[in-house]
Amino acid sequence: MSQFQDFNKLFRLDGKVALITGGSRGLGLHTATAFLQAGASRVIITARKAGGEHGIDQAVAKLNALPGISGSAVGIAANVANTNEIIALVEKIKKTEGKLDILVPNAGATWGSKFEDAPDASSVKILDLNVRGVFTLVQKSLPLLEAAGTRRDPSRVIIVSSTAGVNVPHVGENGTIMYSVSKAAAHHLGRNLAVELGPRNITTNVVAPGFFPSKLAAGLIEKLGGEEELNASNPRKRLGIPEDIAGVMVYLASPAGSYINGEDISVDGGARLCSGAHSKL
Ligand SMILES: NC(=O)c1ccc[n+]([C@@H]2O[C@H](COP(=O)([O-])OP(=O)(O)OC[C@H]3O[C@@H](n4cnc5c(N)ncnc54)[C@H](OP(=O)(O)O)[C@@H]3O)[C@@H](O)[C@H]2O)c1
């Protein structure tokens, strides 16, 4: 028989402080919900908009109304493509929390068009948020991450990339070339950070979703024929659901994931492995 230390806490996040960018909706909100339900003491979500139907405030209210949670959510508005706003965000967390156990750079931007039609501004926006912003956010958060991590229980950086970072998903009319390039960079940023920060008790991993219905994905899902058609071309015959993100995020953030470093996990039902006529992803 093996003796496991605290087996019942293997997938728990009790006492943990997490920051999730793009936490007001979509995959970021799924992640925030999962972290609180797994016992996190504080989940900080950030996005640009505070008010309105999709803003941070309504998300924080919903998170804090989750039944049975012991922790709480707070929202801080920040544009995480902007270095000054990243610095201000991290300063606020330093003052209120003093440490950061889990950092999830999740906010992302995309662009779909013919190659010839993509404006320069689309490339700047995508690279600033999906690559440079992630690099800077991790860099500025380093003292807080180091304050939280231990050899046995390192602090975690979990970058939300995309299967677009490992395949060539869309060219032609609805091309997403720079998005795909930015996500490949996000994957490789994760590997570099794993080696750079591992000795400082910080692990870095990448989660690469396939299609999950969300505001960001809605336009492309429609252009590719809608959910039904994409369900049919997926080996699992469906798109992603919130629980798919919850599971992988809690795994990587919890004691169960403490020795995983520099890995990327695709969460796409296997769609990235299909090609040509078999898949639209
Ligand atoms: N959904 C999918 O099918 C899919 C597939 C593969 C990868 N992904 C990746 O998953 C991540 C989340 O996507 P999603 O589908 O959940 O998108 P979403 O529902 O559109 O949510 C995006 C979130 O990011 C925030 N955001 C956008 N720009 C920001 C900025 N500059 N600074 C701070 N926050 C910002 C948005 O709030 P504000 O607008 O208020 O800022 C929102 O909270 C992205 O990195 C995306 O590339 C998604």
Side-chain angles (χ1 to χ4, degrees), residues 162-274:
S162 168
T163 51
V166 291
N167 63 10
V168 177
H170 311 289
V171 293
E173 275 306 301
N174 304 307
T176 53
I177 293 179
M178 193 52 89
Y179 176 73
S180 180
V181 168
S182 76
K183 294 302 189 177
H187 271 69
H188 209 50
L189 177 57
R191 296 181 195 110
N192 275 271
L193 292 178
V195 178
E196 172 73 27
L197 304 181
R200 299 192 224 182
N201 294 329
I202 302 164
T203 63
T204 307
N205 291 289
V206 168
V207 167
F211 270 128
F212 283 70
S214 76
K215 187 161 184 276
L216 177 138
L220 193 54
I221 289 176
E222 265 333 291
K223 281 181 182 163
L224 295 174
E227 275 191 45
E228 289 293 298
E229 205 166 318
L230 290 173
N231 285 343
S233 67
N234 186 298
R236 293 296 310 121
K237 300 296 169 201
R238 67 170 175 85
L239 302 190
I241 57 174
E243 290 82 352
D244 297 326
I245 287 299
V248 71
M249 285 297 182
V250 170
Y251 164 57
L252 288 174
S254 67
S258 65
Y259 200 50
I260 311 295
N261 192 25
E263 199 51 80
D264 55 82
I265 302 182
S266 296
V267 188
D268 72 337
R272 75 200 175 283
L273 302 171
C274 306

Side-chain angles (χ1 to χ4, degrees), residues 4-13 16 152-154 156 158 203 205 247-261 265:
F4 297 123
Q5 238 183 51
D6 294 327
F7 188 78
N8 59 345
K9 294 188 181 154
L10 210 49
F11 294 95
R12 296 287 306 170
L13 301 179
K16 300 296 183 188
R152 176 72 192 248
D153 186 16
R156 320 289 163 91
I158 308 170
T203 63
N205 291 289
V248 71
M249 285 297 182
V250 170
Y251 164 57
L252 288 174
S254 67
S258 65
Y259 200 50
I260 311 295
N261 192 25
I265 302 182

Side-chain angles (χ1 to χ4, degrees), residues 22-28 46-49 78-81 106-108 129 160-162 179 183 209-212 214-217:
S24 61
R25 59 174 190 260
L27 307 191
T46 188
R48 289 164 303 176
K49 288 185 285 293
N79 177 355
V80 289
N106 160 77
L129 182 58
V160 179
S161 182
S162 168
Y179 176 73
K183 294 302 189 177
F211 270 128
F212 283 70
S214 76
K215 187 161 184 276
L216 177 138

Side-chain angles (χ1 to χ4, degrees), residues 16-66:
K16 300 296 183 188
V17 175
L19 168 64
I20 302 161
T21 74
S24 61
R25 59 174 190 260
L27 307 191
L29 187 54
H30 304 332
T31 303
T33 307
F35 283 180
L36 282 170
Q37 292 194 322
S41 62
R42 181 82 80 197
V43 172
I44 304 150
I45 61 170
T46 188
R48 289 164 303 176
K49 288 185 285 293
E53 200 188 337
H54 299 292
I56 300 170
D57 297 345
Q58 56 82 32
V60 167
K62 282 183 195 150
L63 288 168
N64 284 329
L66 282 168

